[in-house]
Amino acid sequence: MGQAEPATQMTTIRGTDAIDLHMHTTYSDGHWQPTALFAQLAREGFRVVAVTDHDQVRHLAGTQALGISHGIVVVPGTEMTTVWHGMNAHVLCYAPVGVGFTSEALADLARSTEDAQLANTRAVHEELLRRGYTFPRQDDILRAQGGQVARPIDNARLIHESGYAPTPADALAVITDAGYISIKAPIAEAVAAAHASGAVTIMAHPGRGEGEIQRYDPPLLRELLADIPLDGLEVYYPTYTPKQIAAYAALAAERDLLVSAGSDSHGPRQRYPIRYPAERCAALLKRLRVRVE
């Protein structure tokens, strides 16, 4: 789904219209079924959204069709799992509405990352079985994937929901011991591929810093920006403090970077989409062929 689509007239929305540019479905590590997600977005009156499933663009046509059926503008996007100087970094890549990704460069990199992660996921599953773990409820737990492991979270869910680990964090420790590794592309390669595909690149949740996610406070982020030509920052994120929001907004203004806003919603068990006002991201949306009045 990395090929460009026919260009259309720029969409116009109001500054108060609701947007959310960072969400995940069962196509990656979310537990939103795509149809359920768009039904929720329609109920809440969202005008523009981006479904940014990790390291893949194969399902863009499906999510855009769901958007059309609900009267919601869908920005083509993905969240690439990358690494910079040994530190994890997530990059949101957005293509213009009505244009899409203009080459296969990003799609090819996403596919190779996804394929390598799938191979590791299957190897970890085989190792868990070799160690004596059994999953009699696997078909039910992984119903969305037809009962098959397809993502690292699938092995963690099997461990947790089969009673072998009391928390998801404990389950992650079990699969890590069984050989799980996070497959990451070099950030420079991901940003170059995105730019070659006509996409805008945004540093995802730089202030989050939990689990495998590296926290990029402004001093470290300045070092990254000196090395990597990112286009913007996710300035608005649900776990940020007001102080963090102010710091990232100031850095974006200082460096003339685009500002993004996203809930990082993975499903109702974790977090619902957030109604960010479009005016906060007017410059980014304009780059993506959405005019904010």
Side-chain angles (χ1 to χ4, degrees):
M1 299 300 175
Q3 296 181 351
E5 301 169 0
T8 59
Q9 185 176 4
M10 184 176 285
T11 300
T12 300
I13 63 174
R14 298 170 301 177
T16 55
D17 282 342
I19 67 168
D20 189 333
L21 302 178
H22 186 174
M23 294 175 287
H24 299 277
T25 73
T26 53
Y27 290 137
S28 63
D29 62 341
H31 54 272
W32 277 116
Q33 291 293 337
T35 53
L37 172 59
F38 276 89
Q40 174 69 24
L41 293 169
R43 282 193 296 271
E44 295 296 322
F46 281 85
R47 287 286 284 117
V48 178
V49 302
V51 178
T52 52
D53 284 313
H54 290 279
D55 304 313
Q56 57 97 354
V57 296
R58 292 179 291 106
H59 301 288
L60 291 182
T63 54
Q64 288 173 326
L66 282 168
I68 290 170
S69 70
H70 288 89
I72 299 170
V73 176
V74 177
V75 174
T78 185
E79 183 176 3
M80 293 296 295
T81 308
T82 73
V83 62
W84 177 70
H85 294 319
M87 294 177 285
N88 289 343
H90 289 196
V91 179
L92 294 160
C93 305
Y94 301 121
V97 173
V99 177
F101 296 105
T102 55
S103 85
E104 292 294 325
L106 184 62
D108 289 344
L109 181 61
R111 189 178 303 112
S112 65
T113 302
E114 186 183 32
D115 288 348
Q117 194 68 77
L118 177 59
N120 177 255
T121 295
R122 289 174 173 167
V124 168
H125 188 71
E126 290 301 316
E127 176 62 16
L128 292 171
L129 295 177
R130 190 190 69 78
R131 294 183 179 189
Y133 291 95
T134 61
F135 307 111
R137 296 180 50 244
Q138 179 168 332
D139 287 346
D140 181 54
I141 294 170
L142 302 182
R143 186 179 305 160
Q145 291 81 249
Q148 302 299 310
V149 292
R151 311 158 302 173
I153 194 174
D154 296 335
N155 283 320
R157 284 186 61 199
L158 288 172
I159 289 292
H160 176 47
E161 296 186 31
S162 298
Y164 292 116
T167 69
D170 292 318
L172 177 61
V174 172
I175 69 169
T176 299
D177 186 65
Y180 160 65
I181 56 173
S182 178
I183 308 297
K184 301 171 283 286
I187 190 172
E189 188 176 343
V191 170
H195 287 161
S197 299
V200 171
T201 57
I202 304 292
M203 182 70 174
H205 45 60
R208 178 177 149 189
E210 63 181 62
E212 298 180 24
I213 305 299
Q214 169 70 37
R215 178 167 167 166
Y216 287 82
D217 288 325
L220 182 59
L221 195 50
R222 283 187 173 89
E223 292 182 33
L224 171 62
L225 292 168
D227 188 32
I228 305 297
L230 289 163
D231 301 301
L233 307 176
E234 193 170 40
V235 170
Y236 298 97
Y237 189 80
T239 65
Y240 287 176
T241 65
K243 184 176 179 180
Q244 284 180 300
I245 292 172
Y248 291 122
L251 181 57
E254 171 194 321
R255 297 297 182 93
D256 195 25
L257 296 170
L258 299 168
V259 169
S260 189
S263 65
D264 202 6
S265 174
H266 283 60
R269 297 197 301 272
Q270 175 249 13
R271 182 185 301 127
Y272 281 89
I274 295 173
R275 292 172 49 86
Y276 294 102
E279 61 192 1
R280 292 185 180 178
C281 305
L284 171 59
L285 290 169
K286 185 177 180 181
R287 287 279 298 271
L288 300 174
R289 297 179 56 83
V290 178
R291 181 187 295 109
V292 179
E293 292 188 338

